[in-house]
């Protein structure tokens, strides 16, 4: 990569944390009560069935307990969170119609540029609502649907009802219930049977308002024999108050279908990221997760794959990076629920300046899942002795005939390797950065080029440690 | 012209005293050899010259190219033109040989590398060392055989073209042909303005080289200096009379 491009990219990423638009909402609700929910639903002009689901979810939220494990969430006060922040625009189909201030944020994030060169469709959310959505005509002609979730609920209610809340049930945990009570925005994708979407679609979620929550709902159905590459990006500027992200992603990969779901989350360090993602994979289907978790004060994120059909496959490639004051509690869950299912997990974590990375891998191989294969590889790199890294595997294997391997490596960055690189004239900072980037390389390789560059720059910035 | 001068050097690893009053002088244009029993402090000396943080200088001076470098950090010393071929080169996953060398070179010059020229030179150097070009895209030393790692060190020497190349047992673990290839590489690198310091246990690598001085290092000190014949003598008689 050319030096000047890297510099440009670095600036771009620094912007991510620094661009703060004035609070420019047209409507805002604070807190979490039945009235607030009704208010949101009314503003959205929703049908009564949608409101009923929201109110039911709110009840569940109050019934369910806070998690009894993992990071301390006591700083989160739902009565203070702006649960709905409507930007001063409706959803637009061209960037020209998006208000300048909002458009310039997405410009700085490189979204319109990426749209021109390497994406087949884009969704852009600002606070609680999608402000822009596009999809290439060719895909529309093939019957592909890519739109914001609010619109999908109105335009394709039958399709939505068939899948919504079916992958991630409202009772799953407290923050899913919260999500279903206040969800807003997000993307909906339907890829019809046999259609291949080779060029990725990307949805980007930008949270601008201080003290706000973002609760986008993403629902993707890749029908039989179809394929899709989907990229999700997230970011927010740095504030002093707590922001909350409790999105939900429901994915359905049907028979013989393929989905690659890539995420780069790049939250500022006042964010509590309590996100839920899950896929149900049918016979011969395959899910590939590629995830980079950067930023946030606290993250709890464990994408789950339910391999429900014979020969269903899951590949998980993920990295997380925790710096000062960060507690990233991530991992995954996999349920092998049919014969010959297989999963491959390759996870890396990096911790620095007292940052904490915990990786929980939770695998369940059901009695039906004979001849299943599972390979889990976790590696952590600690850049100093203040930092912490843990891997917590929980495996429940309820059948014989399973091929299973689990490897976990936890280590400190090697002084000898730093010396080796420095002995060739490379500065200490660059030597460390090279070793860390090298460590992360298997993940970068799984990302499309632009995102690999972005990830490398995120790593550089985390190492500089000067911002966020 | 004097290139490296080490005066009365004492150095430790932790509490352990390793170098105990070592003196050494190398001029431009010369090839020096250091031999000595296992554990005498040869690798320590090489590492100290590049300020490996595992070791501390207790007293003494290291001058390079007319300048005291005691206070310089490893990368700054490397930029002045000191190079070491490691006795056991580190494996660094995720960094290709090419990228590593590009970064090293641009760090040394402070300018971006001219990619085309760089690639061509790298290919030529690899050919000279009988290295398969595919190695340039592999992760640095990862999964390299012992001999391949050593050749990769010499490749780095040729690419970075230092003023002083310290080769710490580069010959050990190399097959006969590889030893010849490496000494060919040293001859290609060598000119009147630079110098080589070879640490070795065997005279094989010296056969094709014009050696100026041979030093015997025992228990942290140079106990004897002579010409190329001294190496032959050691090969036959061992160190008994110097211990
Ligand atoms: N980091 C260290 N901590 C403690 N002792 C060390 C350290 N490095 C070297 N030593 C000790 O210092 C002595 C000199 O080691 P050194 O590696 O310099 O020997 P050498 O002359 O290169 O030997 P060889 O011919 O076997 O390579 C040895 O006794 C070794 O065990
Ligand atoms: Mg040695």
């Amino acid at each position: 990569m050319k030096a000047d491009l890297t510099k440009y990219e670095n600036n771009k990423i620094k912007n991510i944390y620094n661009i703060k638009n004035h609070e420019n909402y047209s409507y805002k609700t604070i807190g979490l009560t039945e009235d607030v929910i009704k208010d949101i639903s009314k503003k959205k002009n929703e049908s009564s069935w949608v409101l009923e689901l929201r109110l039911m979810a709110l009840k569940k939220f109050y019934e369910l307990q806070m998690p009894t494990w993992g990071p301390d969430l006591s700083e989160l006060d739902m009565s203070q969170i702006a649960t709905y922040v409507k930007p001063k625009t409706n959803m637009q189909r061209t960037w020209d119609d998006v208000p300048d201030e909002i458009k310039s944020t997405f410009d700085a994030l490189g979204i319109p540029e990426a749209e021109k060169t390497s994406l087949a469709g884009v969704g852009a959310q600002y606070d609680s609502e999608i402000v822009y959505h596009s999809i290439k005509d060719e895909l529309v002609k093939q019957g592909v649907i890519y739109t914001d979730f609010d619109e999908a609920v109105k335009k394709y209610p039958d399709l939505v009802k068939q899948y919504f809340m079916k992958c991630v049930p409202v009772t799953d945990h407290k923050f899913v219930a919260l999500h279903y009570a206040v969800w807003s925005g997000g993307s909906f994708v339907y890829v019809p049977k046999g259609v291949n979407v080779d060029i990725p679609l990307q949805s980007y979620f930008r949270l601008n308002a201080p003290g706000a929550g973002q609760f986008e709902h993403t629902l993707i159905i890749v029908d039989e024999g179809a394929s899709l590459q989907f990229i999700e990006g997230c970011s927010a500027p740095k504030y002093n108050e707590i922001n909350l992200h409790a999105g939900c992603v429901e994915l359905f990969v049907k028979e013989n279908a393929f989905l690659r779901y890539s995420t780069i989350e790049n939250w500022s360090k006042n964010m509590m990221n309590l996100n839920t993602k899950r896929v149900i994979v049918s016979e011969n289907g395959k899910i590939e997760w590629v995830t980079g978790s950067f930023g946030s004060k606290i993250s709890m994120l464990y994408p789950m794959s339910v391999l429900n059909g014979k020969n269903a496959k899951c590949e998980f490639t993920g990295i997380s990076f925790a710096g000062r004051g960060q507690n990233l509690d991530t991992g995954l869950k996999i349920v092998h629920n049919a014969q010959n299912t297989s999963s491959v997990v390759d996870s890396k974590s990096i911790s620095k300046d007292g940052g904490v990375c915990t990786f929980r891998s939770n695998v369940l191989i059901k009695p039906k899942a004979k001849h299943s294969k599972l390979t889990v590889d976790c590696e952590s790199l600690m850049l100093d002795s203040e930092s912490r890294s843990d891997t917590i595997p929980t495996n429940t294997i309820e059948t014989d005939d399973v091929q299973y391997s689990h490897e976990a490596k936890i280590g400190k960055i090697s002084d000898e390797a730093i010396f080796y690189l420095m002995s060739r004239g490379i500065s200490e900072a660059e030597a460390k950065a090279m070793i860390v980037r090298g460590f992360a390389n298997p993940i970068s390789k799984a990302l499309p080029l632009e995102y690999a560059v972005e990830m490398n720059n995120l790593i550089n910035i985390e190492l500089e440690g000067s911002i966020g | 012209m004097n290139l490296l001068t080490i005066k009365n050097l004492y150095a430790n690893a932790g509490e352990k005293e390793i170098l105990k009053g070592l003196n050494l002088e190398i001029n431009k244009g010369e090839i020096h050899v250091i031999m000595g029993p296992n554990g005498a402090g040869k690798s320590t000396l090489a590492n100290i010259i590049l300020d490996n943080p595992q070791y501390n200088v207790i007293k003494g001076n290291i001058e390079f190219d007319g300048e005291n470098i005691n206070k310089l950090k490893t990368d700054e010393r490397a930029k002045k033109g000191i190079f070491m071929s490691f006795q056991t080169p580190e494996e660094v996953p995720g960094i290709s040989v090419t990228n590593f060398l590009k970064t090293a070179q641009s760090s040394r010059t402070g300018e971006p590398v001219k990619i085309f020229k760089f690639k061509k030179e790298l290919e030529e150097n690899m050919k000279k060392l009988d290295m398969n070009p595919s190695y340039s895209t592999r992760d640095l030393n990862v999964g390299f055989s012992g001999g391949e790692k050593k050749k990769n060190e010499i490749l780095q020497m040729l690419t970075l073209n230092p003023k002083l190349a310290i080769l710490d047992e580069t010959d050990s673990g190399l097959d006969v042909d590889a030893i010849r290839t490496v000494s060919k590489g040293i001859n290609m690198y060598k000119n009147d303005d630079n110098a080589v310091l070879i640490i070795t246990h065997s005279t094989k690598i010296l056969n094709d080289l014009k050696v100026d001085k041979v030093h015997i290092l025992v228990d942290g000190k140079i106990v004897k200096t002579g010409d190329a014949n001294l190496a032959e003598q050691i090969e036959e008689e061992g160190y008994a009379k110097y211990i």
Side-chain angles (χ1 to χ4, degrees):
Chain A
M1 201 51 51
K2 273 192 277 174
D4 48 340
L5 177 57
T6 308
K7 205 157 149 201
Y8 164 79
E9 287 287 336
N10 264 332
N11 280 334
K12 186 179 104 184
I13 288 172
K14 286 186 184 167
N15 284 338
I16 291 177
Y17 299 110
N18 294 331
I19 301 174
K20 292 179 196 176
N21 295 338
H22 297 295
E23 284 201 65
N24 50 3
Y25 52 86
S26 66
Y27 193 74
K28 178 165 155 178
T29 61
I30 308 267
L32 188 65
T33 62
E34 219 176 279
D35 287 341
V36 165
I37 305 292
K38 284 179 181 158
D39 198 12
I40 294 172
S41 187
K42 194 168 152 211
K43 271 277 168 290
K44 285 174 171 289
N45 268 321
E46 284 174 348
S47 313
S48 55
W49 68 271
V50 187
L51 175 60
E52 277 159 29
L53 287 176
R54 287 183 185 279
L55 292 171
M56 179 270 289
L58 181 67
K59 267 210 194 115
K60 282 277 172 287
F61 174 79
Y62 285 114
E63 282 167 26
L64 289 165
Q65 298 301 310
M66 290 292 274
T68 50
W69 47 275
D72 175 14
L73 303 176
S74 58
E75 253 187 282
L76 180 63
D77 177 358
M78 276 316 297
S79 69
Q80 295 304 308
I81 294 284
T83 33
Y84 178 67
V85 183
K86 182 177 164 51
K88 276 189 192 152
T89 176
N90 291 321
M91 187 182 77
Q92 306 298 342
R93 296 282 175 194
T94 67
W95 282 110
D96 286 345
D97 295 330
V98 176
D100 282 347
E101 195 181 24
I102 297 179
K103 178 176 181 291
S104 64
T105 301
F106 287 107
D107 274 334
L109 296 166
I111 308 298
E113 192 53 37
E115 180 180 12
K116 277 183 227 151
T117 55
S118 50
L119 298 171
V122 162
Q125 177 156 342
Y126 192 81
D127 291 330
S128 296
E129 296 285 356
I130 292 273
V131 295
Y132 172 83
H133 232 291
S134 74
I135 175 169
K136 289 230 154 75
D137 288 342
E138 300 96 87
L139 293 181
V140 176
K141 280 184 202 135
Q142 291 174 282
V144 176
I145 301 171
Y146 179 39
T147 185
D148 80 298
F149 194 66
D150 279 277
E151 185 172 274
V153 170
K154 296 193 173 85
K155 253 173 111 172
Y156 315 102
D158 295 337
L159 198 54
V160 168
K161 276 184 197 167
Q162 198 184 332
Y163 293 98
F164 181 52
M165 298 172 118
K166 298 292 192 295
C167 183
V168 180
V170 65
T171 48
D172 208 65
H173 61 83
K174 191 171 178 79
F175 293 97
V176 164
L178 168 69
H179 168 85
Y180 281 122
V182 295
W183 71 266
S184 181
S187 287
F188 175 80
V189 187
Y190 174 75
V191 187
K193 285 181 189 172
V195 173
N196 296 309
V197 182
D198 300 325
I199 304 175
L201 305 176
Q202 180 181 31
S203 290
Y204 199 99
F205 303 99
R206 175 72 177 179
L207 185 55
N208 178 66
Q214 198 167 44
F215 309 100
E216 81 287 356
H217 194 85
T218 297
L219 175 56
I220 297 178
I221 302 137
V222 189
D223 216 330
E224 292 168 21
S227 68
L228 171 68
Q229 297 199 42
F230 189 86
I231 300 168
E232 170 195 60
C234 321
S235 70
K238 165 94 175 138
Y239 293 111
N240 292 324
E241 52 261 78
I242 293 290
N243 278 33
L244 172 65
H245 179 231
C248 180
V249 174
E250 296 186 283
L251 310 174
F252 295 86
V253 176
K254 298 300 187 83
E255 274 144 52
N256 298 305
F258 169 83
L259 170 61
R260 170 181 281 198
Y261 194 92
S262 311
T263 307
I264 289 218
E265 303 199 33
N266 178 18
W267 299 112
S268 50
K269 289 170 189 166
N270 54 311
M271 178 64 82
M272 289 209 180
N273 182 28
L274 311 173
N275 212 11
T276 307
K277 298 179 180 182
R278 189 166 305 169
V279 64
I280 296 176
V281 188
S282 306
E283 194 167 322
N284 282 320
K286 182 173 185 193
I287 177 79
E288 284 182 18
W289 300 98
V290 181
T291 112
S293 301
F294 291 84
S296 83
K297 182 184 180 70
I298 288 171
S299 276
M300 290 179 80
L301 176 60
Y302 322 94
M304 175 166 174
S305 307
V306 183
L307 304 179
N308 251 353
K310 279 188 214 159
N311 301 320
K313 291 183 180 53
C314 161
E315 248 181 63
F316 179 96
T317 312
I319 189 160
S320 46
F321 194 133
R324 187 177 306 286
Q326 288 183 269
N327 187 343
L328 302 191
D329 203 282
T330 63
L332 53 83
K333 294 179 193 159
I334 303 173
V335 180
H336 287 256
N337 202 20
Q339 277 185 32
N340 277 324
T341 47
S342 67
S343 43
V344 178
V345 175
D346 187 357
S347 139
K348 310 241 175 201
S349 65
I350 302 164
S351 49
K352 177 185 176 249
D353 293 338
V356 179
C357 276
T358 307
F359 187 83
R360 299 173 199 267
S361 81
N362 191 327
V363 180
L364 171 60
I365 301 186
K366 298 268 226 177
K368 277 193 263 183
K370 297 209 179 315
H371 312 298
S372 291
K373 279 190 213 152
L374 166 69
T375 312
V376 182
D377 228 311
C378 305
E379 216 180 328
S380 335
L381 184 65
M382 288 174 278
L383 299 193
D384 47 60
S385 40
E386 285 175 83
S387 303
R388 266 188 33 214
S389 226
D390 291 310
T391 54
I392 305 177
T394 318
N395 301 303
T396 314
I397 300 180
E398 298 177 344
T399 178
D400 304 332
D401 312 322
V402 170
Q403 278 184 43
Y404 166 77
S405 87
H406 185 113
E407 232 177 285
K409 262 195 268 175
I410 297 181
K412 242 197 93 202
I413 192 166
S414 149
D415 291 337
E416 281 300 299
I418 296 170
F419 174 64
Y420 185 60
L421 300 192
M422 287 178 74
S423 80
R424 303 311 189 225
I426 296 166
S427 71
E428 183 173 352
E430 178 59 17
K432 284 186 180 165
M434 282 178 87
I435 292 167
V436 173
R437 285 196 304 260
F439 176 79
N441 191 43
I443 318 289
S444 320
K445 275 203 289 216
L447 290 169
L449 181 66
E450 298 92 298
Y451 301 93
V453 172
E454 176 173 340
M455 201 181 86
N456 278 338
N457 286 304
L458 282 171
I459 289 175
N460 288 345
I461 283 174
E462 293 293 343
L463 290 170
E464 277 174 34
S466 52
I467 46 152
Chain B
M1 257 287 279
N2 198 270
L3 186 61
L4 179 74
T5 307
I6 296 179
K7 282 189 199 140
N8 197 29
L9 184 66
Y10 285 78
N12 288 8
E15 298 289 288
K16 187 176 161 61
E17 295 172 10
I18 304 177
L19 301 184
K20 304 168 182 173
L22 185 139
N23 294 291
L24 181 66
E25 230 175 273
I26 300 177
N27 293 317
K28 287 184 182 166
E30 293 181 344
I31 296 183
H32 286 227
V33 174
I34 291 185
M35 298 179 90
N38 295 129
K42 304 180 296 298
S43 296
T44 303
L45 172 64
N47 278 279
I48 283 280
I49 295 173
L50 271 164
D51 191 37
N52 184 334
Q54 276 195 33
Y55 304 93
N56 335 310
V57 169
I58 305 301
K59 67 178 185 194
N61 275 325
I62 306 177
E63 280 167 27
F64 184 73
D65 225 0
E67 187 189 341
N68 185 313
I69 59 166
N70 278 28
K71 294 227 159 62
L72 297 187
K73 290 189 70 172
T74 301
D75 54 321
E76 294 162 332
R77 297 184 191 197
K79 284 197 224 168
K80 297 252 176 239
I82 305 178
F83 176 89
M84 157 160 74
S85 164
F86 283 58
Q87 184 168 356
T88 37
E90 286 291 314
E91 300 193 6
V92 193
I95 306 175
S96 71
V97 170
T98 307
N99 274 340
F100 168 55
L101 278 171
K102 266 199 305 217
T103 311
Q105 196 160 58
S106 68
S107 306
R108 291 162 87 100
T109 58
E111 276 168 31
V113 166
K114 297 196 175 61
I115 308 281
F116 183 75
K117 189 166 161 265
F118 175 85
K119 282 229 154 112
K120 217 179 109 202
E121 280 175 13
L122 187 64
E123 266 170 38
E124 283 168 7
N125 287 334
M126 291 184 88
K127 208 185 257 165
K128 287 180 200 161
L129 295 172
D130 270 337
M131 288 175 79
N132 186 319
S134 68
Y135 278 67
S136 66
T137 60
R138 282 181 53 174
D139 284 5
L140 186 55
N141 295 325
V142 177
F144 284 28
S145 75
E148 287 165 350
K149 283 181 185 166
K150 298 300 182 67
K151 274 195 180 178
N152 188 31
E153 296 290 289
I154 297 302
L155 175 68
Q156 294 172 40
M157 178 189 81
L158 291 180
T159 309
L160 301 175
N161 194 25
K163 285 188 197 154
L164 172 66
I166 304 167
L167 311 183
D168 188 2
E169 291 198 33
T170 303
D171 53 346
S172 56
L174 289 181
D175 65 48
V176 261
D177 297 325
I179 289 185
R180 215 163 286 140
T181 313
V182 164
S183 60
K184 209 172 76 190
I186 297 171
N187 273 325
M188 274 177 311
Y189 152 77
K190 186 73 198 44
N191 63 36
D192 289 345
D193 278 326
N194 61 24
V196 185
L197 175 60
I198 298 171
I199 295 169
T200 183
H201 288 296
S202 124
T203 54
K204 261 198 211 92
I205 193 171
L206 309 177
N207 288 342
D208 302 324
L209 301 175
K210 195 195 128 301
V211 173
D212 295 284
K213 277 186 182 152
V214 175
H215 311 275
I216 310 297
L217 199 164
V218 176
D219 193 21
K221 284 194 286 271
I222 303 282
V223 294
K224 167 94 182 162
T225 295
D227 59 15
N229 293 323
L230 182 57
E232 300 293 343
Q233 188 198 324
I234 292 291
E235 179 118 313
E236 275 162 35
E237 300 169 11
Y239 298 107
K241 71 173 167 200
Y242 300 104
I243 295 176

